[in-house]
Amino acid sequence: MAHPANPFAVDRRSLFAVSALALGAASLWRPTSSFAASQPGDWPAWAPPQSRLESDISALRARAVDIRRFGAACNGTTDDSAALERAIAGGAPAVMISGPMRLTRPVAISRGFGIFGQGKGPHLIWAGPTGSPLSVSPESNDPDSFVRNIVVDGIHATTIASQRSKTVMLRAVNIRGLKVTRCTADGIGLASVGHLRMDGSGYDRAKGSVTVDPAVLAGFSPNSLDDLNEDIYISDNTVDYGAYQGSILRFNMARRVIAVGNEGKYAKISWWGGGAKHDQGGMPQFLRRVSEVYIADNTMRGANGGVYGNNGQKVVVARNRISDMSDVGVDFEGCMDCIAYDNRVTNAGNFCYSTFYVARNIVFRNNYGEQDGTIPETIRREKMSKIGAQRGLSMAALQSGGFATSLDAITVSFIGNEFVYSGPGQLGVCTPSYFGSMVFQGNRLRNVTVDWTYRATERLVIKDNVLLFDRPGNKPMVLIGGSAPKGEISGNRVELATALPAESVAIGYTVASNRIDLAIRNNAVNASASRALPLVVSVKRNIQGNAQISGNTVGGVVVSPVLKRPNSRFDGNKTSEGRAITPNFMARGLLPTP
């Protein structure tokens, strides 16, 4: 399948350049394997070509000095922390480690520097009691100062048994220009990026409100992203954290971030650009302090989420393979102008694809999601944390708490996705919340219902979807539903290969508003007479506006009496046998409770 062009890409100056530091003898060694993949067709326009990033890494590798020149034993038992510190203090542009180098305390890096591994390793053994073995931060505590151009390539990092699953290989604070490539992390996470304005005492989201951005109180600019971390490139790494849950990459307050081709067992990729709740920095007028992000072609399993984060903008999530997450697969929280496409999520405790809080212009397109009923047992077996209901039923979800009066902040589309529930006993679901606009179009679903009924919604389109049911479920369900006063349900096809529980409804719509613009037309429910289900519209008030219910093939049409007026149409509805349907104007109590 052709990958769509990045819709949020913008032209920018070339980034990620490695400083031309030249000290010490050049090594003739080159890695035996090249970088894993060629540049994807949807590579962001704001980044330099992938080949340039890789050639910059290779150029710095050629200048690396053997760490043994600085007194490192590299025998796995001697503490080599001082040797690495001497290399950094002595001005070497980079060091080469053939390993194993044992570190017992975090080694501070406050200038451009490269660390390269030669051979299989392990190259770095972490034996410190706390912290991260590689600790990058400016010499000054000035939050406007940054370390520039750090490269870690080809390092196999591990940790002693007593320290497993407690840290990351590299922690950077205030970084501009970070590359971590072709590394292996065993029993330790890979990388995290923080900011001095949030890692110290400055940022406190509890000080925010609907009119006050706590990031501004902490000293971040109210109208510019020029004070963020920048230019982070994480590629072709492998992480086995050893237990729930670790990270391939966690990045906070950052822009221009690329994470491609990584593999994570018990590991994830996540971000944080500020508190996303309405009274903690998440109001749509505040800046999203994670911006221009490309997360593609990664494989992850066994954490709380695969790819997720708070307060991002222009985030692209593409072609990732995500499985066995205790909470979510792909999740945008407090985010704007983000897209997820061609991803595959199997088994998430709560939601395969979701948004929380602000979700303005969020698109899920051509993704695959499947729940097979095994995730509750996986959560128990792996001792994963309790997060929500963790039923493993929901394919697509909104969780918009706090924004019921800000409907323009919730505009989400699910287009061309495939959702499958293959577990026993139940049916898969979509999970609704507040929205200003929801478009659910051209999706293919198997044993999954599409009911977006929720109060305080505005505009809903459910169009041209195909639903197949070959399992009966365990309770009455609305197969396609909504409640927005502006609604279109059209061109959908439902195939019933089995009888569903009594009182189930093929298409159900409940409107509490007294203004309505509703069209339910040209939908087809293909079923034998014994499996036929009705179309039900329940309007709770006298209305103004229009309702058109026409051209549907269903088991029957049942509507509220208030729709029996000249501006409503009920023409061309029929049964699957071709018999014309006359509406029954008695809808009260016929819609199952979600």
Side-chain angles (χ1 to χ4, degrees):
M1 179 181 297
H3 301 307
N6 183 338
F8 307 122
V10 294
D11 290 325
R12 288 187 177 269
R13 56 183 167 79
S14 297
L15 309 169
F16 302 96
V18 177
S19 298
L21 300 171
L23 179 67
S27 169
L28 297 178
W29 186 86
R30 295 291 185 273
T32 56
S33 61
S34 61
F35 287 89
S38 59
Q39 179 172 301
D42 58 352
W43 190 255
W46 46 260
Q50 192 173 21
S51 59
R52 186 189 307 169
L53 299 175
E54 294 167 359
S55 65
D56 288 346
I57 294 169
S58 298
L60 185 59
R61 176 181 278 273
R63 297 182 175 92
V65 180
D66 192 323
I67 187 64
R68 290 183 176 89
R69 293 192 179 191
F70 300 92
C74 290
N75 58 17
T77 57
T78 301
D79 183 1
D80 289 327
S81 304
L84 183 55
E85 290 167 345
R86 283 192 292 270
I88 296 167
V95 293
M96 184 72 69
I97 303 169
S98 55
M101 179 180 69
R102 185 182 181 97
L103 301 181
T104 63
R105 61 180 180 269
V107 173
I109 304 172
S110 59
R111 65 170 180 86
F113 192 67
I115 300 176
F116 295 91
Q118 178 172 314
K120 292 178 61 177
H123 308 101
L124 190 159
I125 299 174
W126 175 233
T130 60
S132 298
L134 306 178
S135 179
V136 178
S137 63
E139 289 185 355
S140 166
N141 286 325
D142 179 359
D144 290 320
S145 61
F146 292 86
V147 180
R148 298 178 185 271
N149 301 324
I150 298 294
V151 177
V152 181
D153 175 61
I155 291 291
H156 177 187
T158 187
T159 182
I160 61 175
S162 63
Q163 293 298 109
R164 290 182 69 85
S165 302
K166 293 185 179 179
T167 187
V168 292
M169 178 185 75
L170 180 145
R171 174 169 167 75
V173 178
N174 283 43
I175 181 73
R176 290 186 171 174
L178 171 65
K179 300 181 183 72
V180 181
T181 56
R182 298 185 294 187
C183 292
T184 299
D186 180 14
I188 187 172
L190 187 70
S192 70
V193 172
H195 198 289
L196 285 170
R197 283 195 173 93
M198 62 170 289
D199 285 11
S201 59
Y203 186 93
D204 183 356
R205 57 185 165 182
K207 294 180 180 179
S209 71
V210 296
T211 59
V212 176
D213 184 353
V216 175
L217 293 180
F220 286 99
S221 170
N223 51 29
S224 172
L225 300 179
D226 289 340
D227 48 12
L228 302 182
N229 298 292
E230 294 180 350
D231 307 337
I232 298 163
Y233 179 62
I234 309 295
S235 173
D236 299 307
N237 303 285
T238 300
V239 178
D240 184 349
Y241 198 57
Y244 170 88
Q245 60 173 312
S247 285
I248 297 171
L249 173 65
R250 170 72 171 195
F251 56 100
N252 300 332
M253 305 302 196
R255 64 177 177 174
R256 299 195 293 268
V257 179
I258 292 176
V260 294
N262 303 285
E263 296 184 12
K265 182 178 180 182
Y266 304 113
K268 63 198 173 190
I269 297 172
S270 63
W271 67 87
W272 202 83
K277 292 184 177 181
H278 71 286
D279 58 352
Q280 295 184 354
M283 292 299 289
Q285 68 266 29
F286 299 150
L287 289 181
R288 314 289 105 173
R289 288 182 175 81
V290 163
S291 182
E292 295 172 316
V293 177
Y294 179 73
I295 301 172
D297 302 299
N298 303 284
T299 300
M300 292 153 283
R301 75 173 180 88
N304 63 318
V307 178
Y308 70 94
N310 275 24
N311 288 24
Q313 190 164 18
K314 300 179 183 177
V315 179
V316 175
V317 179
R319 300 180 303 280
N320 300 284
R321 300 295 179 262
I322 298 165
S323 61
D324 296 331
M325 296 294 164
S326 68
D327 187 11
V328 294
V330 176
D331 179 32
F332 298 111
E333 302 194 10
C335 292
M336 299 181 180
D337 305 323
C338 300
I339 186 168
Y341 54 82
D342 296 342
N343 300 283
R344 183 180 183 91
V345 175
T346 55
N347 295 325
N350 289 313
F351 318 117
C352 289
Y353 300 94
S354 58
T355 69
F356 278 62
Y357 312 115
V358 164
R360 178 180 286 169
N361 189 25
I362 306 297
V363 178
F364 296 93
R365 185 171 65 204
N366 299 338
N367 302 288
Y368 179 86
E370 181 175 358
Q371 304 270 26
D372 68 8
T374 62
I375 191 64
E377 175 55 33
T378 300
I379 290 169
R380 288 190 291 271
R381 183 180 66 250
E382 301 288 353
K383 298 179 180 179
M384 294 175 166
S385 296
K386 178 67 175 176
I387 306 173
Q390 295 177 314
R391 297 184 299 158
L393 297 177
S394 185
M395 307 294 168
L398 308 183
Q399 297 287 292
S400 309
F403 291 92
T405 59
S406 303
L407 295 178
D408 64 319
I410 317 293
T411 57
V412 182
S413 299
F414 290 90
I415 300 174
N417 303 282
E418 183 175 358
F419 297 140
V420 176
Y421 183 75
S422 56
Q426 305 180 72
L427 296 177
V429 299
C430 296
T431 303
S433 186
Y434 315 118
F435 58 81
S437 175
M438 160 65 73
V439 177
F440 195 87
Q441 183 171 357
N443 302 286
R444 303 168 305 281
L445 304 101
R446 182 166 182 169
N447 297 315
V448 177
T449 64
V450 183
D451 189 358
W452 292 105
T453 300
Y454 206 84
R455 65 187 183 279
T457 59
E458 182 63 22
R459 175 179 177 268
L460 173 64
V461 175
I462 303 177
K463 184 176 181 180
D464 299 332
N465 303 285
V466 178
L467 292 75
L468 169 66
F469 294 90
D470 57 15
R471 301 189 181 195
N474 61 351
K475 63 180 180 179
M477 302 289 284
V478 176
L479 305 189
I480 299 175
S483 57
K486 298 178 182 178
E488 176 187 352
I489 298 180
S490 66
N492 301 286
R493 189 175 87 245
V494 179
E495 301 286 343
L496 291 180
T498 184
L500 295 182
E503 300 183 1
S504 292
V505 171
I507 300 172
Y509 216 89
T510 301
V511 184
S513 174
N514 61 2
R515 55 186 178 84
I516 184 172
D517 185 3
L518 176 62
I520 301 177
R521 57 181 179 237
N522 302 326
N523 302 283
V525 181
N526 299 321
S528 65
S530 62
R531 298 171 182 166
L533 298 178
L535 182 161
V536 177
V537 179
S538 177
V539 178
K540 297 183 178 180
R541 302 180 185 177
N542 290 326
I543 63 166
Q544 299 173 352
N546 303 294
Q548 177 186 354
I549 302 174
S550 61
N552 301 287
T553 302
V554 289
V557 175
V558 185
V559 297
S560 292
V562 296
L563 285 178
K564 191 176 183 180
R565 56 180 60 229
N567 59 351
S568 295
R569 291 177 53 194
F570 305 98
D571 56 299
N573 301 293
K574 61 182 181 179
T575 67
S576 56
E577 294 83 14
R579 178 173 53 84
I581 296 175
T582 300
N584 179 347
F585 292 97
M586 296 180 63
R588 186 184 302 274
L590 287 180
L591 290 176
T593 301

